[in-house]
Amino acid sequence: MFSYLRERFTSHLRERSRRRARLVSKDGRCNIEFGNVERSRFVFLIDIWTTILDLRWRYKMTIFISAFLGSWFLFGLLWYVVAYIHKDLPEFNPSINHTPCVENINGLTSAFLFSLETQVTIGYGFRCVTEQCATAIFLLIFQSILGVIINSFMCGAILAKISRSKNRAKTITFSKNAVISKRGGKLCLLIRVANLRKSLLIGSHIYGKLLKTTITPEGETIILDQVNIEFVVDAGNENLFFISPLTIYHIIDKNSPFFHMAAETLLQQDFELVVFLDGTVEATSATCQVRTSYIPEEVLWGYRFAPIVSKTKEGKYRVDFQNFSKTVAVETPHCAFCLYNEKEAKAKEKKGYDNPGFVLSEVSETSDTKM
C-alpha cells in the first residue's frame, strides 16, 4: 500500500513538472504579475472608480460598510462637539429656558443616532436641529450633501459590478480541446464555441493569437511573441449569428504557423493558442470579451467534433451539449505539407506535358509486294 501511494505521488510530481505554463487559463483569466513597477500604488487612486470596480466582492463590501459606518461615526462626533461647545449636554445643567442646537442629544450615543437618522433621511422626529446655531445648520447641510454623494458612489459601484459584461462572458463556452482534421478538402484547426443564453451577442468577432518563444536573426529571444491566427466560419468571422453552437476553423496553409507541424511533432512544440470572442451584449449594449487558450496537449490531431444539433419531430432544433466537446477519430494526413504535395501530384497526373525534343518522323508506306 505504501509503495502504491509513493508511486502515485511520484507520478503526480512528474506530471506537475511537465505541466506547461499558461498565460491565459481555460476560463479566461490572465496568469501574469508585474514586478518593480516604478510608479507609486497611489496612482491607482486617481482612477478610483476603476479601482473600486476591479476589487473583489469581499473588499468591495468591506469598503461599502466602512464608508457608511465611518461617515455616521465621524458626523456623530461632530454633532457631539457642537452640543458640547454649546453646552447642551446634561452635565452642564442647562437652564429651563436654554435652547439647544439639537434637541435630545444627551451623549455620544444619541449623537451617533442623530447622525445616522440625518444621513439616511429616516427622520424619527424625536431629535431635530433648532434655529439656535448656524454651525448646526451648516453641518446638517454638509452631511446631507456628502451622504448623497456616498450613496450615489457606493450604490453605483455595486450596480456596475453586478452588471459588468464579463459576467455575461461566463455563459459563453469553448470546447475543451481543439482538433485538426480535413474540412472542405483543406487541413484545418477547429474549435467549437457555444452561447448558453438565447440572447445574442451583437457584432461578434472571433480571432486568435499564437504565443510562442522566438529567436530573431539578431539573436534576441522574445518570450510570448504573438502571431495572428485567423478564424472563420462558413459565413465569415464578422457579425456571427450566434444562436447555436458554432465550429470555427483556421485553415492550415503555407502562411499558417501550424504548416510545418505534424502529428508526430505536435506535442514537442511549445506554444499557446489564445482564442478571443468579442461582441456586444444585446440587453445592456456593453462590449464583452471571452477568451480561452489551448496548449499542444489540448490539440487533437486526426479528430473532428461529434454532431450536436438535431431536429425533433415537432420541428424544433435541439442542441445536445453532452456532445459539445466529444470528438471522433477521422482519417487525416499527418502533416499539412503532405496533403498539399498529394494534391499537387494528383493535379500533375491530370495534365499533359509537351516534349520539345520529340520529332515525329513520317514513314512512307508502299503498296508493292514482292512475290
Side-chain angles (χ1 to χ4, degrees):
M1 183 67 181
F2 178 75
S3 60
Y4 172 75
L5 293 176
R6 184 176 59 183
E7 183 180 353
R8 289 292 302 272
F9 181 73
T10 305
S11 62
H12 177 70
L13 291 180
R14 285 198 302 265
E15 184 180 354
R16 288 194 60 182
S17 63
R18 292 195 305 265
R19 190 174 300 171
R20 301 173 188 257
R22 312 179 74 116
L23 177 65
V24 179
S25 63
K26 297 297 287 184
D27 57 358
R29 290 177 296 177
C30 295
N31 178 27
I32 192 170
E33 63 178 21
F34 299 101
N36 300 324
V37 180
E38 297 181 358
R39 305 190 69 176
S40 173
R41 293 185 179 273
F42 290 102
V43 73
F44 294 100
L45 297 178
I46 298 176
D47 187 12
I48 187 64
W49 178 254
T50 305
T51 302
I52 293 294
L53 289 183
D54 288 339
L55 290 176
R56 300 194 177 194
W57 274 108
R58 54 179 177 268
Y59 302 124
K60 186 184 294 293
M61 295 307 299
T62 300
I63 294 176
F64 181 85
I65 295 173
S66 301
F68 284 102
L69 289 179
S71 62
W72 296 340
F73 184 74
L74 175 62
F75 280 99
L77 289 177
L78 295 177
W79 287 116
Y80 180 79
V81 169
V82 169
Y84 184 86
I85 294 175
H86 198 255
K87 297 183 178 181
D88 298 336
L89 300 176
E91 55 262 29
F92 291 105
N93 296 320
S95 62
I96 300 176
N97 296 327
H98 178 76
T99 304
C101 291
V102 181
E103 295 282 356
N104 299 309
I105 287 187
N106 303 318
L108 187 58
T109 303
S110 57
F112 175 79
L113 291 176
F114 178 72
S115 173
L116 188 152
E117 295 165 7
T118 300
Q119 189 163 327
V120 301
T121 64
I122 293 178
Y124 290 123
F126 181 67
R127 300 179 183 88
C128 60
V129 177
T130 65
E131 58 185 13
Q132 185 69 23
C133 300
T135 304
I137 297 175
F138 173 79
L139 185 59
L140 176 67
I141 296 173
F142 182 71
Q143 183 178 5
S144 299
I145 295 175
L146 186 62
V148 171
I149 295 175
I150 294 176
N151 286 338
S152 301
F153 185 86
M154 297 309 301
C155 294
I158 295 294
L159 180 61
K161 181 74 171 180
I162 295 174
S163 60
R164 290 190 79 175
S165 57
K166 78 175 187 178
N167 294 327
R168 175 65 174 89
K170 294 181 180 180
T171 55
I172 305 295
T173 181
F174 288 88
S175 58
K176 181 180 179 181
N177 296 302
V179 297
I180 295 179
S181 60
K182 292 176 64 176
R183 185 182 181 95
K186 301 178 181 178
L187 193 64
C188 300
L189 183 142
L190 300 96
I191 296 172
R192 180 171 277 175
V193 58
N195 179 14
L196 301 182
R197 291 185 180 272
K198 291 186 178 180
S199 59
L200 300 179
L201 284 180
I202 304 173
S204 299
H205 173 60
I206 295 178
Y207 58 97
K209 299 287 184 181
L210 187 70
L211 308 179
K212 60 180 182 178
T213 301
T214 59
I215 300 177
T216 63
E218 294 77 17
E220 179 185 3
T221 301
I222 302 177
I223 300 178
L224 298 180
D225 188 23
Q226 300 183 14
V227 180
N228 289 327
I229 301 294
E230 294 294 334
F231 282 98
V232 296
V233 294
D234 293 334
N237 62 344
E238 297 285 349
N239 300 324
L240 304 177
F241 185 49
F242 201 14
I243 192 62
S244 63
L246 298 175
T247 300
I248 61 175
Y249 59 92
H250 164 70
I251 301 175
I252 303 178
D253 54 12
K254 295 182 179 179
N255 298 322
S256 171
F258 295 96
F259 183 75
H260 298 286
M261 299 182 189
E264 297 82 3
T265 62
L266 180 63
L267 296 180
Q268 302 173 6
Q269 304 294 326
D270 184 15
F271 67 84
E272 180 178 353
L273 176 62
V274 184
V275 183
F276 302 86
L277 171 63
D278 296 340
T280 303
V281 181
E282 188 178 26
T284 61
S285 298
T287 57
C288 170
Q289 183 182 88
V290 194
R291 52 185 177 265
T292 190
S293 69
Y294 299 92
I295 56 178
E297 289 80 3
E298 296 169 344
V299 179
L300 306 180
W301 196 294
Y303 288 83
R304 64 172 175 82
F305 290 110
I308 191 174
V309 181
S310 60
K311 192 173 183 180
T312 63
K313 296 180 180 179
E314 294 79 12
K316 294 183 178 181
Y317 292 95
R318 184 175 183 271
V319 179
D320 186 6
F321 280 95
Q322 186 177 1
N323 293 338
F324 180 72
S325 294
K326 186 177 180 180
T327 56
V328 180
V330 292
E331 184 179 353
T332 306
H334 69 94
C335 66
F337 189 75
C338 299
L339 176 63
Y340 288 100
N341 282 348
E342 180 183 353
K343 286 185 176 182
E344 291 179 0
K346 290 182 178 180
K348 289 180 180 180
E349 289 178 359
K350 297 179 180 179
K351 293 181 180 179
Y353 296 91
D354 293 331
N355 187 358
F358 178 77
V359 178
L360 178 64
S361 58
E362 297 182 357
V363 179
S364 59
E365 298 181 356
T366 57
S367 56
D368 296 332
T369 303
K370 294 184 179 180
M371 297 298 293

